[in-house]
Amino acid sequence: VVLVLQGRRAGKKAGSRHNSDTGNKERPYGHCVVAGVDTPPQEVSRTMSKKKIVKRSKVKPFIRVVNHRHMMPTRYNLDLGNELKGKISLADPTKKAASMRTVKKIFQHRYLAGKNRWFFQKLRF
């Protein structure tokens, strides 16, 4: 798990996916693809209707290519394993949209199952 330090997603938690220490022709610096939580789920209570609980339990993800200097690794580990392996592609807008839907489905499933609860809470500092 990393914290994004710069840009629009600054202060958000993300899980590192593809890592490139040396860079490539397009990006000649160390970078990695991260998938994180843009908007965490809101609190729910027992008095709320089922419709409202479903709406407030939604997770909004993001996928970015981040420079190594613009993120801070943490001691925590988010084991995404084979769930996202080869499923994230930022090559063109349609593939990115499909990747976002996949990440959203996986994060939503994990949140509702109660796994990695700390990952889906808003970072307070």
Side-chain angles (χ1 to χ4, degrees):
V1 176
V2 297
L3 298 178
V4 181
L5 302 175
Q6 298 288 329
R8 182 178 182 183
R9 312 286 189 229
K12 304 289 184 187
K13 298 176 200 171
S16 176
R17 204 49 236 139
H18 304 292
N19 189 26
S20 174
D21 289 329
T22 57
N24 54 26
K25 244 181 196 177
E26 189 180 330
R27 291 182 168 86
Y29 48 84
H31 62 278
C32 71
V33 176
V34 296
V37 178
D38 191 15
T39 308
Q42 296 174 315
E43 283 188 26
V44 295
S45 66
R46 237 182 278 183
T47 59
M48 293 179 185
S49 66
K50 287 185 180 181
K51 186 177 178 183
K52 192 168 190 176
I53 289 173
V54 168
K55 188 172 183 176
R56 291 174 70 97
S57 296
K58 289 185 180 171
V59 178
K60 184 180 177 190
F62 69 89
I63 302 172
R64 299 262 323 161
V65 177
V66 182
N67 188 335
H68 283 170
R69 293 179 184 207
H70 298 163
M71 62 185 180
M72 182 176 74
T74 64
R75 63 182 174 164
Y76 301 104
N77 189 4
L78 182 68
D79 185 30
L80 294 172
N82 295 330
E83 293 179 33
L84 288 177
K85 193 171 189 176
K87 295 182 182 177
I88 293 181
S89 176
L90 303 175
D92 62 89
T94 55
K95 286 185 179 180
K96 185 176 179 181
S99 299
M100 286 285 282
R101 284 191 294 273
T102 305
V103 170
K104 181 173 182 161
K105 191 168 85 173
I106 290 168
F107 281 175
Q108 192 74 36
H109 179 71
R110 280 185 168 238
Y111 174 71
L112 294 175
K115 296 179 183 174
N116 308 112
R117 295 207 65 114
W118 52 270
F119 186 70
F120 298 106
Q121 292 172 354
K122 189 174 182 180
L123 187 65
R124 304 220 182 257
F125 60 94

